[in-house]
Amino acid sequence: MRRRDLETLELPRVLEAVAAHARSTAGRDAVRALRPTIELAEARERLARLGEATALGDEAGAIPTADVPLLAPALAQAAPAGAALESRRLVEVRDVLVVARHVRTHLRHDLDRFPRLAALADALPEAPELEAELLRTLDESGEVREDASPALAQARRASRDLRAKLEAQLERVVHDPANAGVVGDDYVTVRNGRYVLPIRTAAAWSFEGVVQDRSSSSETVFVEPLFAVELNNRLVLAARTEEEEERRVRAALTHLVRVHAEPLAALETALARVDALAAAAAFARRHGATAPALGGDVVDLPGARHPLLLLSGRPVVPVDIRLDAGQRGLAITGPNAGGKTVALKTIGLLGLMAQSGLFVPTAEGARLPCFGAVLADVGDEQSIEHDLSTFTGHAENLAAIARAAGPGSLVLLDEPGAGTDPIEGAALAVGVIEDLLARDARLVFTTHFPQVKTFALAEASLALAAFDVDATTGSPRYRLDYHAVGQSFALPIARRHGIPARALETAERLLAGESRDLARAVARLEESRKALDAARETAREETAKLRAAQAEIETLRADLRARQRARWSEDLDASRRFLRELRLEGQAILDAQRAKPDAAALRRFAADAAARVEAMAVAEVPPEAKAPGRPPRVGDVVEVVGRGIRGELVEVAGERARVQRGGLRFEVPVDQLRLVEGAPARERVVVRVEQPAAEMMRGEINLVGQRAREAVDALSGFLDRAVRTGLGEVRVVHGVGSGALRKAVQEFLARSPYCVKFRDAHPEAGGPGVTVAELA
């Protein structure tokens, strides 16, 4: 990055504004030293670190940096062997260590979520021994504590005792009525390090003592009484001892500072970096700046605001600036004072800020490439010192830009070709633009030249945008209209600002025919564009309405599905409860039949169950749910719509129909039936109550000669009938034979729920050839 481009785009002024949020001199210097990086990974890392700092600030408060002093003076003074730093220098070192400890703790707030801040914390060197010794030795005001060493404590006690004794003796002289005409005031003071009394000048020669000083008015002399000379001498010696011991303590602390000089210097640098980061976070929060996405080939700055306009305190109209991936440049046109140059500088400045690791004042979603260079030709390049005209200055800068431009560069040109003959200037501007496009640089430029506008219209790699103006007042709206060719409105603007009508008429006559025709063509083009924009906006609104309607339909459809699922769930729960109740009642009937067979009770239960099934089946189903098709006829397989219950239609009587499902019949409204095409007729299940067989009357079954599997199947049915008949005991005749049939029978009885226990029959009743089973 060229220094002149950074200054042209005013990055140093922005850094100065960010530095104002730093709390230390070193932090402010670190902000001012920020420079854009051309390495994408490094730029992203800087922005990610700032993102963590802003997130941590929102959650736990700002990083607790402080206005700590620079350590360089203290470290320089501590360097010589035997040096003893002054207390204030030692306090500076202590304060830096304490602030660093607090910052370190804050940055480690959440190691998983803020790993970059944790790395910053790890980069803050620690000196726990030095910090502990400074905290132990120095008090809050920075003075050496009395308990810093036993010798210092003793020296200070001696000084206090002597001082108290001396003050008491002098106070007695001051308040002695006999000395009322001698002592000038009722206080004791110190002059030249010795305690003295204020004596009136007229009485000074009658008062024994040593004169140490006199007042500015010469009306009072400060006399050290002779009786106080010895005590003052002892106090001076005690103070000297105290001073020497305090210096020894400070020298010991200075030695520790000297030992830790290298980590302390590194700590100051690292702490300055953290303070600079905190300043960047504060600046972003203050001005609503957001994190841009770096990389790619798209320039998208929604709601961009120039940072220096924000700092001025004036209202700033945001502008949307974009340059798609397939476009190599953007031509910005429009009237004077419409915002073209500000937009041009905003693009470059925000790119420099992002690559310096700063958030940019845009709406969320800003995207920028990582530029290899940002080259600008903006403003007045005139130089009296170097004997350059405005045009010559621009020409030299454009030549330097051409040499530096290449893939990955962003070139910003404000009115290229201006400052010379308009025809030659326009031709030069087109040539410069073509050359820069050939060098594969990204290019954003402003222009008033019709020839340049025509070139931009014909060049597919260039996009056009014009700053809009109020059609009535001609006032700029500071809004970019893309795919538009703006007009300069030089004559209307001149008319509004009071240029004489005669001058304007002459200017209109002198306008070249080609320029006039081009202006008219541009005006017609703008009318067509605005009409198309209006049509596009209408289409966009209709599309939005259609999408909203589709979304509403999807919402209603989802709601309907949810309601259906809820209804199905409720119906399923009800059916399960019904089946549970029916099963329990059936089990109760079965238990009663075992105790006392009652065919009539069984028939009543079957009829009641059929009625209840029918009642569930004929629940209301919305008529509209019925599927289209031919009306079902007797003998068809039909389904109750919405219930999924199928059966054979056996009778239709008016609006009612009878459906048979297995051994059950139920009635439903005819309009709730749907023909099941191609479905075979369901088999009827006939429930019949058998009369007890002869074997059941005897309570005996004969399995002799049967295979084990056949015998077990026959025995299973026999036991079921026996239980329903109410028998308490049965005989199973299986014979002796090989014993295999007897074993199979007794294994089956052992696991049968009907059999309580079993045994071989008595010898006279068949013995091991017969098994007697007791039933539940």
Side-chain angles (χ1 to χ4, degrees), residues 637 646-648 660-662 680-684:
V637 176
R646 293 187 177 188
E648 180 184 350
Q660 178 148 345
R661 178 183 172 86
R682 290 180 174 269
E683 295 183 3
R684 295 191 179 185

Side-chain angles (χ1 to χ4, degrees), residues 105-156:
T105 301
H106 188 83
L107 294 178
R108 289 171 176 161
H109 174 77
D110 191 326
L111 302 181
D112 295 330
R113 291 171 52 219
F114 306 126
R116 294 173 180 84
L117 298 186
L120 276 183
D122 295 340
L124 294 171
E126 299 184 57
E129 176 190 0
L130 174 58
E131 181 182 355
E133 194 63 20
L134 288 170
L135 288 171
R136 184 190 70 81
T137 305
L138 303 177
D139 61 18
E140 292 300 322
S141 63
E143 297 299 323
V144 178
R145 297 180 187 273
E146 186 170 301
D147 58 356
S149 73
L152 180 59
Q154 181 179 356
R156 286 188 176 174

Side-chain angles (χ1 to χ4, degrees), residues 364-718:
E364 293 287 348
R367 291 184 292 167
L368 283 165
C370 185
F371 299 113
V374 177
L375 307 164
D377 185 65
V378 180
D380 189 356
E381 297 293 336
Q382 185 180 45
S383 173
I384 297 176
E385 178 183 354
H386 294 96
D387 191 25
L388 297 178
S389 68
T390 299
F391 179 77
T392 306
H394 281 295
E396 286 197 353
N397 190 30
L398 288 173
I401 288 174
R403 289 192 296 271
S409 300
L410 173 66
V411 179
L412 307 171
L413 304 180
D414 189 24
E415 297 291 340
T420 187
D421 177 76
I423 297 176
E424 291 186 8
L428 177 63
V430 171
V432 168
I433 292 168
E434 277 196 331
D435 177 72
L436 290 171
L437 291 176
R439 295 175 188 272
D440 204 22
R442 299 298 290 274
L443 177 63
V444 182
F445 61 92
T446 66
T447 187
H448 284 294
F449 291 138
Q451 297 88 335
V452 178
K453 295 177 184 178
T454 305
F455 169 77
L457 274 171
E459 178 58 52
S461 63
L462 292 178
L464 283 92
F467 270 97
D468 194 16
V469 296
D470 188 291
T472 304
T473 64
S475 301
R477 290 174 173 161
Y478 304 106
R479 182 183 65 195
L480 270 178
D481 283 340
Y482 285 84
H483 313 294
V485 181
Q487 296 172 270
S488 298
F489 295 108
L491 298 184
I493 291 173
R495 182 175 287 108
R496 283 198 308 274
H497 286 79
I499 298 295
R502 183 168 49 194
L504 295 172
E505 291 172 2
T506 301
E508 288 175 348
R509 284 197 310 271
L510 292 176
L511 273 176
E514 181 182 351
S515 298
R516 185 168 56 249
D517 292 342
L518 180 60
R520 290 173 181 170
V522 168
R524 288 196 299 271
L525 182 63
E526 279 299 288
E527 290 177 3
S528 300
R529 183 193 63 80
K530 289 178 179 178
L532 289 174
D533 283 348
R536 185 169 59 248
E537 185 62 30
T538 301
R540 187 181 295 114
E541 291 175 358
E542 293 299 325
T543 302
K545 290 178 182 178
L546 179 60
R547 288 175 179 169
Q550 290 175 337
E552 185 176 1
I553 291 172
E554 288 300 320
T555 301
L556 292 174
R557 185 177 297 166
D559 182 61
L560 179 59
R561 284 196 293 264
R563 290 172 181 269
Q564 287 176 335
R565 283 194 293 269
R567 179 67 181 272
W568 292 337
S569 178
E570 292 172 2
D571 290 348
L572 183 59
D573 290 342
S575 300
R576 286 171 175 168
R577 287 195 300 272
F578 172 74
L579 289 175
R580 273 198 306 272
E581 294 169 1
L582 196 62
R583 188 179 294 111
L584 290 173
E585 292 184 21
Q587 187 63 48
I589 291 294
L590 185 60
D591 292 343
Q593 288 294 317
R594 289 173 182 168
K596 185 178 181 181
D598 184 354
L602 188 59
R603 284 193 295 273
R604 283 195 303 274
F605 169 72
D608 181 59
R612 289 163 65 186
V613 170
E614 180 181 355
M616 283 198 69
V618 297
E620 285 297 324
V621 177
E624 62 270 20
K626 181 180 178 182
R630 71 170 177 82
R633 295 188 290 266
V634 173
D636 289 337
V637 176
V638 294
E639 180 180 84
V640 181
V641 178
R643 292 292 179 178
I645 301 173
R646 293 187 177 188
E648 180 184 350
L649 180 61
V650 295
E651 182 182 354
V652 178
E655 295 183 356
R656 306 292 292 178
R658 281 187 172 274
V659 178
Q660 178 148 345
R661 178 183 172 86
L664 303 177
R665 285 191 180 188
F666 53 89
E667 284 190 9
V668 293
V670 173
D671 61 1
Q672 291 186 8
L673 293 180
R674 179 181 69 85
L675 176 66
V676 179
E677 297 289 349
R682 290 180 174 269
E683 295 183 3
R684 295 191 179 185
V685 179
V686 180
V687 179
R688 63 177 183 272
V689 178
E690 297 180 350
Q691 296 297 324
E695 62 181 9
M696 195 60 64
M697 299 296 291
R698 298 193 306 271
E700 179 181 289
I701 183 172
N702 191 339
L703 304 177
V704 176
Q706 297 186 24
R707 295 179 180 276
R709 181 69 265 173
E710 296 171 352
V712 167
D713 290 341
L715 179 57
S716 174
F718 172 74

Side-chain angles (χ1 to χ4, degrees), residues 1-21:
M1 300 287 181
R2 300 189 306 173
R3 180 184 180 86
R4 67 172 295 161
D5 296 316
L6 303 184
E7 292 176 350
T8 297
L9 296 173
E10 300 178 285
L11 179 64
R13 289 185 60 190
V14 173
L15 294 179
E16 195 62 45
V18 176
H21 292 273

Side-chain angles (χ1 to χ4, degrees), residues 145 163 180 207 216 249 311 358 363 395 408 425 452 474 480 548 571 598 610 629 679-680 725 760 772:
R145 297 180 187 273
R163 194 175 293 109
F207 188 86
S216 57
V249 172
L311 296 173
L358 300 175
V452 178
L480 270 178
D571 290 348
D598 184 354
T725 306
D760 288 343
V772 179

Side-chain angles (χ1 to χ4, degrees), residues 1 6 11 34-38 46 351-353 355-357:
M1 300 287 181
L6 303 184
L11 179 64
L34 283 176
R35 291 295 178 269
T37 176
I38 62 173
R46 292 181 181 184
L352 295 175
M353 289 176 64
Q355 291 177 223
S356 298

